[in-house]
Amino acid sequence: MSRIRFIARKEVYHILRDPRSLIIIFAMPVLMTFLYGFAIDLDIDEVRIGIVDLDRTESSRDLAESFYRSPYFTPPESPIPGVDIEDVLRRGEAAGVLVIRDGFARALESGTGFELGLTVDGSDNLLAAAVQAYSKGVLADFLAEDLPPGAQPPGIAISRDILFNPDLESSYFFVPGIVAVILIMISALLTSVTLAREKETGTMEQLLVAPVTTRQIVLGKVLPYILIAFADGMLVLLFAGIVFGVPFKGSLLLLMLFTVLYVSESLSIGILISSRVTTQQVAMMFALVATMLP
């Protein structure tokens, strides 16, 4: 028992005298709590929603103000033209567009049925569902605002139209994002050990005295991994389409070009890490932390 106590005491001394261990023990939990506490926020508020008022009455203006007074919605940076709503959503100017058609005020006074048109960007299925639910809530509060107790609200409802992901499939939203995360992790991991391996095995000096420049060494190290990471990217996209049924619409050539740029930048992160550390194990650990944690 005394031997175990001596070994444990020795280990405690090692920990207290090693700054890296102290950082992992005390700083890492605080840092991760700080990052995740601020970064992981599932509350949806201040969503940009455009309102096209075709009724142009006091009632329609009051409804628009009710939407923007709520904590859920905020107006877009510029007014939404009622010409091409799909183009507005495609450019990301708003997450949804509410169209108040002509006749809203008359329907409000007479209590007859009337539908407001809500077009939502469905590429983010969680946001699209929230926009629909919040819109119905704001409309219900607006209709019940001036009604006497027990009175029936007018028959005004919101008809929805979801673009880009009509069925609100979660895989259509999550899988492309996962592809980007996987690519940056794999790319950084691939090159994080290249220079560190040369240092660890003692062959770095042979490279430095060879008749090549530093730039040639770096390019020679990176180029094979660009091809490998690019092939990985195409494989993951193919897998996403076959297994999860994520549709691809757009220019494949443009996607391939941006994939090459993306993996090149990701590989550069690994090269930077590899140039600053001396062992492959530390390089891989840094690459995982630098890519996965953010």
Side-chain angles (χ1 to χ4, degrees):
M1 191 67 186
S2 60
R3 294 176 182 177
I4 297 176
R5 187 171 65 252
F6 288 137
I7 294 174
R9 184 186 302 170
K10 172 182 171 293
E11 194 63 29
V12 170
Y13 289 151
H14 274 300
I15 293 172
L16 293 177
R17 292 171 183 175
D18 184 10
R20 290 172 298 183
S21 298
L22 294 176
I23 289 174
I24 293 174
I25 292 171
F26 297 108
M28 187 66 76
V30 175
L31 178 62
M32 292 179 69
T33 304
F34 181 81
L35 287 176
Y36 289 145
F38 282 103
I40 302 178
D41 185 6
L42 300 179
D43 296 332
I44 298 177
D45 52 10
E46 296 188 356
V47 179
R48 284 188 298 177
I49 184 170
I51 297 179
V52 179
D53 186 2
L54 301 179
D55 193 48
R56 296 184 180 88
T57 59
E58 185 178 352
S59 298
S60 63
R61 288 191 291 270
D62 289 343
L63 177 61
E65 290 177 4
S66 296
F67 269 80
Y68 292 143
R69 278 199 310 266
S70 71
Y72 310 120
F73 299 113
T74 185
E77 296 179 358
S78 56
I80 299 296
V83 181
D84 192 352
I85 294 176
E86 181 175 343
D87 187 56
V88 171
L89 299 181
R90 192 182 300 277
R91 294 198 306 267
E93 296 180 10
V97 177
L98 178 71
V99 178
I100 307 175
R101 295 184 293 105
D102 185 25
F104 170 72
R106 292 193 299 272
L108 193 63
E109 292 176 1
S110 61
T112 56
F114 188 84
E115 284 191 348
L116 303 170
L118 178 66
T119 306
V120 184
D121 179 3
S123 57
D124 184 342
N125 63 315
L126 297 177
L127 183 61
V131 170
Q132 295 178 73
Y134 292 160
S135 298
K136 291 179 180 179
V138 172
L139 177 62
D141 291 341
F142 172 79
L143 296 177
E145 199 170 56
D146 298 325
L147 289 178
Q152 190 72 18
I156 297 176
I158 292 180
S159 62
R160 64 183 179 89
D161 183 19
I162 301 175
L163 300 182
F164 314 129
N165 187 4
D167 297 327
L168 292 181
E169 293 283 347
S170 58
S171 60
Y172 291 4
F173 173 62
F174 286 110
V175 172
I178 292 172
V179 170
V181 173
I182 291 173
L183 276 183
I184 193 173
M185 287 177 58
I186 291 178
S187 301
L189 278 172
L190 284 174
T191 51
S192 64
V193 298
T194 53
L195 297 179
R197 187 193 305 119
E198 303 289 352
K199 298 175 188 176
E200 199 171 2
T201 56
T203 56
M204 190 65 184
E205 290 77 9
Q206 299 176 16
L207 273 178
L208 294 176
V209 298
V212 289
T213 64
T214 306
R215 181 177 298 178
Q216 290 171 337
I217 293 175
V218 173
L219 286 176
K221 289 283 187 183
V222 171
L223 281 176
Y225 291 111
I226 290 179
L227 297 176
I228 294 172
F230 176 78
D232 278 343
M234 294 297 103
L235 180 64
V236 171
L237 287 173
L238 181 65
F239 185 81
I242 294 174
V243 176
F244 295 100
V246 178
F248 178 81
K249 295 182 180 180
S251 171
L252 180 61
L253 184 63
L254 187 63
L255 175 66
M256 294 169 69
L257 173 63
F258 280 118
T259 302
V260 171
L261 292 175
Y262 183 72
V263 298
S264 300
E265 296 300 324
S266 304
L267 292 168
S268 301
I269 296 174
I271 286 289
L272 175 63
I273 294 171
S274 186
S275 66
R276 306 302 297 177
V277 301
T278 55
T279 64
Q280 299 179 65
Q281 186 176 3
V282 175
M284 294 180 67
M285 183 186 71
F286 268 100
L288 282 174
V289 171
T291 54
M292 189 191 303
L293 186 61

